[in-house]
C-alpha cells in the first residue's frame, strides 16, 4: 500500500475534472483499509470508479480508491445463488459474469459504470430494475470505530437513487462488499418499451439473460455519451416526484408534459423533459455544457472546470423552478 502525494484525479473521475488529491492510495486489503481509517487524521474521500462524482476543487486530504476484489458463491440451492462480491469489482464485469453463469436479476443493469461498492449508495437502477431487488446484505466498515457492520436489505432504507449511506449515514461507512441473491430460473423484465423494441430489432425469439443484457448495452450506447469520449457522470439530476394535483395543474399549462404515476397520488416527472423544455438541451458554455441528445447529462468537452459545472447545474435548477415550479435535485455527489 503506497500513499502518493499531489495526485491528479483526472483519470479517476468520468467527468475528467483535473483536480488534485493531497494524498491518494489504492486499497486491495480490508486490513489496510482499517489501518488507514484508524491512522488518518485529515479528511477522507472514498472513491470507486468516480462515475457519480463532480470534483469542484482540489481534495485536501486522503483519497482512498477501493480496489478490493473477489466474487464468491457462498450458498446455492436449486433456484437461487448467493454471491458475495467485493466492493472494488467493476459493476458491469459482475453483470457479465452473472449473465455467463446464468444468474438472473441484474442483467437490466448492464453497462452502468462504476464499482460494486458504490452500487448500494444510490440504489443503482435502470430499465425497471434496482439493485435493492437482489441485494441481501451490505458489508461495511465504520469510518470512526473501524468496526465491521452488516446491513440487511431493510436497514439500507433504499429509495429512488437513495440509501441510508447517502443520507443518515453519509460519509460514515466504507462499503467493503455486498451479498446478492440471484435467480437460477430467471424471470425476464422487458417492461421497458425500448428493450422490447431492441429485442425485436435483434430478432430475438427466445429470451435469455444475454439477449436482455445485449439489448440494454445497445440502448445505453445509443442514448448516453461515453465518458471515454465526452466527460460526464450520467444523469446529473434525479427525476422529481410531485403531487398528482400539481402535475394536473402543470398539464393544463404544458399539455405535453410527461409523468409516471406513483402510489399515494404522486407523479414522477422526467427531469430531462423539464430541462429540455426550459431551453437547456445542447447549450454549450466554453468547454462545458448540456448534452445535445440528453438534457439530463451535463458534460465536460475537455479541460472543463467542476465549479463551473456546478454553477451551470444551479442555473438549470433555478430556471426549471422558475418555469415549472418544480425543484430538481442533483443525483451526483458534489465534492
Ligand atoms: C454514462 C453514465 C451512465 C450512468 N447510468 C446510471 C444508471 O443507469 N443508473 C444509475 O443508478 N447510475 C448511473 N450512473 C451513475 C454511476 O454509474 C453509479 O452511481 C455508480 O454506482 C457509481 O459508482 P462509482 O464506483 O463510480 O462511484 P463513485 O463515483 O466513485 O462514488 C460515488 C459516491 O459513492 C461513494 N463511494 C464509492 N464507493 C464507496 C464505498 N465502497 N464505500 C462507501 N462509499 C463509497 C463516494 O464517496 C461517492 O460519494 C451513470 C454514470 C455514467 C457516467
Amino acid at each position: 500500500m503506497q500513499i502518493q502525494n499531489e495526485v491528479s484525479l483526472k483519470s479517476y473521475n468520468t467527468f475528467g475534472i483535473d483536480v488534485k488529491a493531497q494524498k491518494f492510495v489504492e486499497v486491495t486489503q480490508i486490513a489496510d483499509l482499517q489501518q488507514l481509517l484508524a491512522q488518518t487524521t485529515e479528511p477522507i474521500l472514498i472513491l470507486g470508479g468516480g462515475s457519480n462524482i463532480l470534483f469542484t476543487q482540489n481534495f485536501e486530504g486522503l483519497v482512498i480508491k477501493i480496489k478490493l476484489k473477489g466474487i464468491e458463491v457462498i450458498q446455492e440451492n436449486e433456484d437461487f445463488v448467493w454471491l458475495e462480491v467485493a466492493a472494488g469489482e467493476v459493476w458491469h464485469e459482475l453483470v457479465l459474469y452473472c449473465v455467463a453463469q446464468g444468474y438472473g436479476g441484474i442483467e437490466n443493469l448492464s453497462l452502468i459504470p462504476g464499482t460494486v461498492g458504490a452500487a448500494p449508495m444510490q440504489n443503482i437502477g435502470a430499465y425497471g430494475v434496482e439493485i435493492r431487488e437482489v441485494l441481501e446484505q451490505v458489508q461495511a466498515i465504520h469510518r470512526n470505530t473501524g468496526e465491521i457492520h452488516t446491513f440487511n436489505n431493510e436497514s439500507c432504507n433504499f429509495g429512488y437513487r437513495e440509501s441510508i449511506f447517502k443520507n443518515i449515514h453519509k460519509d460514515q461507512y466504507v462499503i467493503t462488499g455486498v451479498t446478492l441473491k440471484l435467480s437460477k430460473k430467471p424471470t425476464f423484465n422487458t417492461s421497458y418499451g425500448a428493450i422490447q423494441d431492441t429485442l425485436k430489432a435483434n430478432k430475438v425469439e427466445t429470451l435469455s439473460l444475454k439477449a436482455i443484457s445485449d439489448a440494454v448495452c445497445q440502448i445505453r450506447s445509443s442514448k448516453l455519451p461515453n465518458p471515454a469520449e465526452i466527460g460526464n457522470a450520467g444523469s446529473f439530476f434525479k427525476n422529481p416526484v410531485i403531487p398528482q394535483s400539481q402535475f394536473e395543474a402543470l398539464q393544463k399549462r404544458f399539455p405535453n408534459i410527461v409523468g409516471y404515476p406513483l402510489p399515494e397520488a404522486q407523479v414522477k416527472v422526467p427531469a430531462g423533459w423539464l430541462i429540455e423544455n426550459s431551453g437547456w438541451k445542447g447549450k454549450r458554455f466554453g468547454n462545458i455544457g448540456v448534452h445535445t441528445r440528453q438534457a439530463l447529462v451535463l458534460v465536460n468537452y475537455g479541460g472543463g472546470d467542476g465549479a463551473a459545472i456546478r454553477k451551470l447545474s444551479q442555473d438549470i435548477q433555478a430556471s426549471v423552478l422558475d418555469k415549472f415550479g418544480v425543484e430538481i435535485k442533483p443525483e451526483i455527489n458534489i465534492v
Side-chain angles (χ1 to χ4, degrees):
M1 182 174 62
Q2 194 200 347
I3 299 180
Q4 297 167 265
N5 294 313
E6 299 300 325
V7 172
S8 167
L9 295 175
K10 189 173 175 205
S11 61
Y12 294 104
N13 71 99
T14 58
F15 253 124
I17 305 295
D18 194 4
V19 291
K20 281 202 172 95
Q22 188 186 17
K23 292 183 178 172
F24 180 89
V25 66
E26 294 187 340
V27 163
T28 57
Q29 306 292 332
I30 289 184
D32 289 346
L33 182 58
Q34 282 174 309
Q35 189 192 332
L36 279 170
L37 293 174
Q39 284 174 357
T40 308
T41 50
E42 55 262 82
I44 287 177
L45 175 76
I46 304 298
L47 193 60
S51 65
N52 200 24
I53 210 160
L54 174 67
F55 288 110
T56 58
Q57 56 190 329
N58 292 334
F59 187 74
E60 304 299 336
L62 175 67
V63 171
I64 303 180
K65 180 159 170 64
I66 303 297
K67 297 203 86 172
L68 305 167
K69 295 285 182 184
I71 302 177
E72 198 187 337
V73 174
I74 53 164
Q75 192 187 331
E76 64 184 310
N77 60 29
E78 217 176 291
D79 299 322
F80 295 102
V81 60
W82 283 259
L83 285 188
E84 203 169 274
V85 189
E89 289 288 344
V90 172
W91 175 261
H92 181 59
E93 286 174 11
L94 172 67
V95 175
L96 293 181
Y97 165 85
C98 292
V99 168
Q101 299 294 320
Y103 303 155
I106 55 174
E107 56 284 354
N108 290 43
L109 305 179
S110 296
L111 217 58
I112 296 182
T115 55
V116 167
M121 291 289 299
Q122 69 154 6
N123 178 27
I124 58 166
Y127 300 100
V129 173
E130 291 179 328
I131 192 178
R132 69 165 150 194
E133 289 158 50
V134 296
L135 190 136
E136 287 260 301
Q137 285 185 343
V138 171
Q139 294 90 34
I141 300 178
H142 193 276
R143 280 168 58 159
N144 291 338
T145 65
E147 279 170 23
I148 295 179
H149 290 212
T150 298
F151 295 83
N152 63 20
N153 184 302
E154 204 185 326
S155 58
C156 293
N157 222 354
F158 288 123
Y160 162 61
R161 299 297 179 275
E162 277 297 339
S163 77
I164 203 161
F165 306 105
K166 211 177 164 184
N167 44 63
I168 298 169
H169 288 330
K170 188 171 165 52
D171 294 334
Q172 288 180 20
Y173 285 90
V174 184
I175 295 172
T176 54
V178 301
T179 306
L180 305 181
K181 180 184 174 186
L182 300 166
S183 173
K184 289 178 167 178
K185 296 174 182 165
T187 47
F188 304 108
N189 183 336
T190 57
S191 58
Y192 262 67
I195 296 190
Q196 287 171 21
D197 294 345
T198 310
L199 290 170
K200 209 167 155 192
N202 291 352
K203 299 191 170 46
V204 172
E205 278 165 15
T206 314
L207 274 183
S208 66
L209 297 176
K210 179 151 186 339
I212 292 184
S213 173
D214 287 348
V216 169
C217 290
Q218 233 172 301
I219 300 164
R220 293 183 69 97
S221 306
S222 69
K223 272 180 52 179
L224 289 166
N226 179 352
E229 287 157 17
I230 306 177
N232 76 90
S235 306
F236 197 96
F237 299 99
K238 294 201 264 191
N239 294 319
V241 174
I242 61 174
Q244 170 89 30
S245 53
Q246 187 184 359
F247 183 74
E248 283 165 6
L250 280 170
Q251 240 175 348
K252 290 201 180 102
R253 288 170 55 212
F254 308 99
N256 296 332
I257 192 168
V258 182
Y260 302 100
L262 296 177
E264 297 173 17
Q266 304 276 302
V267 177
K268 188 186 275 184
V269 183
W273 189 94
L274 297 169
I275 298 166
E276 185 173 342
N277 286 278
S278 300
W280 290 97
K281 191 173 174 183
K283 285 266 157 84
R284 184 169 176 162
F285 306 91
N287 41 17
I288 64 163
V290 180
H291 192 249
T292 47
R293 276 179 288 138
Q294 177 50 270
L296 199 48
V297 178
L298 304 191
V299 293
N300 171 16
Y301 289 102
D305 172 34
I309 294 175
R310 177 178 54 192
K311 171 73 173 60
L312 171 60
S313 76
Q314 289 164 344
D315 290 347
I316 292 171
Q317 282 176 297
S319 106
V320 167
L321 185 63
D322 188 46
K323 180 157 184 184
F324 297 104
V326 175
E327 194 185 350
I328 53 170
K329 293 187 181 154
E331 173 188 310
I332 73 162
N333 301 276
I334 300 176
V335 177

